[in-house]
PDB file of all heavy atoms in Angstrom:
ATOM      1  N   GLU A 234     -18.256  29.407  40.211  1.00  0.00           N
ATOM      2  CA  GLU A 234     -18.938  30.674  40.383  1.00  0.00           C
ATOM      3  C   GLU A 234     -19.449  30.763  41.849  1.00  0.00           C
ATOM      4  O   GLU A 234     -19.234  31.860  42.519  1.00  0.00           O
ATOM      5  CB  GLU A 234     -20.161  30.741  39.366  1.00  0.00           C
ATOM      6  CG  GLU A 234     -20.824  32.057  39.374  1.00  0.00           C
ATOM      7  CD  GLU A 234     -22.036  32.095  38.412  1.00  0.00           C
ATOM      8  OE1 GLU A 234     -22.385  31.012  37.908  1.00  0.00           O
ATOM      9  OE2 GLU A 234     -22.591  33.185  38.211  1.00  0.00           O
ATOM     10  N   ALA A 235     -20.038  29.741  42.322  1.00  0.00           N
ATOM     11  CA  ALA A 235     -20.553  29.832  43.720  1.00  0.00           C
ATOM     12  C   ALA A 235     -19.513  29.879  44.781  1.00  0.00           C
ATOM     13  O   ALA A 235     -19.608  30.532  45.755  1.00  0.00           O
ATOM     14  CB  ALA A 235     -21.447  28.556  43.968  1.00  0.00           C
ATOM     15  N   HIS A 236     -18.418  29.145  44.434  1.00  0.00           N
ATOM     16  CA  HIS A 236     -17.277  29.146  45.341  1.00  0.00           C
ATOM     17  C   HIS A 236     -16.769  30.557  45.630  1.00  0.00           C
ATOM     18  O   HIS A 236     -16.562  30.966  46.778  1.00  0.00           O
ATOM     19  CB  HIS A 236     -16.161  28.263  44.646  1.00  0.00           C
ATOM     20  CG  HIS A 236     -14.821  28.392  45.289  1.00  0.00           C
ATOM     21  ND1 HIS A 236     -14.507  27.917  46.514  1.00  0.00           N
ATOM     22  CD2 HIS A 236     -13.645  28.858  44.807  1.00  0.00           C
ATOM     23  CE1 HIS A 236     -13.258  28.119  46.788  1.00  0.00           C
ATOM     24  NE2 HIS A 236     -12.696  28.663  45.775  1.00  0.00           N
ATOM     25  N   TRP A 237     -16.652  31.423  44.531  1.00  0.00           N
ATOM     26  CA  TRP A 237     -16.180  32.761  44.733  1.00  0.00           C
ATOM     27  C   TRP A 237     -17.284  33.707  45.236  1.00  0.00           C
ATOM     28  O   TRP A 237     -16.970  34.561  46.042  1.00  0.00           O
ATOM     29  CB  TRP A 237     -15.619  33.258  43.366  1.00  0.00           C
ATOM     30  CG  TRP A 237     -14.405  32.527  43.014  1.00  0.00           C
ATOM     31  CD1 TRP A 237     -14.151  31.712  41.974  1.00  0.00           C
ATOM     32  CD2 TRP A 237     -13.102  32.616  43.692  1.00  0.00           C
ATOM     33  NE1 TRP A 237     -12.877  31.250  41.959  1.00  0.00           N
ATOM     34  CE2 TRP A 237     -12.203  31.746  43.101  1.00  0.00           C
ATOM     35  CE3 TRP A 237     -12.659  33.309  44.927  1.00  0.00           C
ATOM     36  CZ2 TRP A 237     -10.896  31.553  43.490  1.00  0.00           C
ATOM     37  CZ3 TRP A 237     -11.385  33.094  45.340  1.00  0.00           C
ATOM     38  CH2 TRP A 237     -10.518  32.271  44.629  1.00  0.00           C
ATOM     39  N   LEU A 238     -18.470  33.544  44.706  1.00  0.00           N
ATOM     40  CA  LEU A 238     -19.593  34.560  45.099  1.00  0.00           C
ATOM     41  C   LEU A 238     -19.836  34.418  46.584  1.00  0.00           C
ATOM     42  O   LEU A 238     -20.124  35.441  47.198  1.00  0.00           O
ATOM     43  CB  LEU A 238     -20.843  34.144  44.308  1.00  0.00           C
ATOM     44  CG  LEU A 238     -20.940  34.810  42.960  1.00  0.00           C
ATOM     45  CD1 LEU A 238     -22.303  34.285  42.339  1.00  0.00           C
ATOM     46  CD2 LEU A 238     -21.029  36.300  42.961  1.00  0.00           C
ATOM     47  N   PHE A 239     -19.922  33.180  47.062  1.00  0.00           N
ATOM     48  CA  PHE A 239     -20.363  32.977  48.431  1.00  0.00           C
ATOM     49  C   PHE A 239     -19.256  32.513  49.394  1.00  0.00           C
ATOM     50  O   PHE A 239     -19.508  32.108  50.541  1.00  0.00           O
ATOM     51  CB  PHE A 239     -21.500  31.869  48.464  1.00  0.00           C
ATOM     52  CG  PHE A 239     -22.589  32.281  47.496  1.00  0.00           C
ATOM     53  CD1 PHE A 239     -22.904  31.508  46.426  1.00  0.00           C
ATOM     54  CD2 PHE A 239     -23.330  33.521  47.640  1.00  0.00           C
ATOM     55  CE1 PHE A 239     -23.942  31.859  45.468  1.00  0.00           C
ATOM     56  CE2 PHE A 239     -24.328  33.896  46.765  1.00  0.00           C
ATOM     57  CZ  PHE A 239     -24.611  33.033  45.681  1.00  0.00           C
ATOM     58  N   ASN A 240     -18.041  32.572  48.921  1.00  0.00           N
ATOM     59  CA  ASN A 240     -16.877  32.158  49.711  1.00  0.00           C
ATOM     60  C   ASN A 240     -17.071  30.762  50.295  1.00  0.00           C
ATOM     61  O   ASN A 240     -16.923  30.474  51.495  1.00  0.00           O
ATOM     62  CB  ASN A 240     -16.584  33.196  50.836  1.00  0.00           C
ATOM     63  CG  ASN A 240     -15.276  33.004  51.451  1.00  0.00           C
ATOM     64  OD1 ASN A 240     -14.314  32.543  50.830  1.00  0.00           O
ATOM     65  ND2 ASN A 240     -15.134  33.352  52.752  1.00  0.00           N
ATOM     66  N   CYS A 241     -17.518  29.841  49.403  1.00  0.00           N
ATOM     67  CA  CYS A 241     -17.933  28.465  49.854  1.00  0.00           C
ATOM     68  C   CYS A 241     -16.814  27.496  49.430  1.00  0.00           C
ATOM     69  O   CYS A 241     -16.470  27.369  48.354  1.00  0.00           O
ATOM     70  CB  CYS A 241     -19.248  28.154  49.193  1.00  0.00           C
ATOM     71  SG  CYS A 241     -19.880  26.578  49.807  1.00  0.00           S
ATOM     72  N   PRO A 242     -16.232  26.740  50.436  1.00  0.00           N
ATOM     73  CA  PRO A 242     -15.212  25.773  50.177  1.00  0.00           C
ATOM     74  C   PRO A 242     -15.808  24.665  49.269  1.00  0.00           C
ATOM     75  O   PRO A 242     -16.988  24.310  49.460  1.00  0.00           O
ATOM     76  CB  PRO A 242     -14.800  25.182  51.525  1.00  0.00           C
ATOM     77  CG  PRO A 242     -15.354  26.116  52.528  1.00  0.00           C
ATOM     78  CD  PRO A 242     -16.576  26.819  51.926  1.00  0.00           C
ATOM     79  N   PRO A 243     -14.971  24.098  48.414  1.00  0.00           N
ATOM     80  CA  PRO A 243     -15.510  23.001  47.529  1.00  0.00           C
ATOM     81  C   PRO A 243     -16.261  21.874  48.260  1.00  0.00           C
ATOM     82  O   PRO A 243     -17.302  21.417  47.815  1.00  0.00           O
ATOM     83  CB  PRO A 243     -14.206  22.445  46.863  1.00  0.00           C
ATOM     84  CG  PRO A 243     -13.282  23.644  46.840  1.00  0.00           C
ATOM     85  CD  PRO A 243     -13.598  24.428  48.026  1.00  0.00           C
TER      86      PRO A 243
END
Side-chain angles (χ1 to χ4, degrees):
E234 185 184 10
H236 169 66
W237 291 113
L238 274 176
F239 307 117
N240 195 29
C241 185

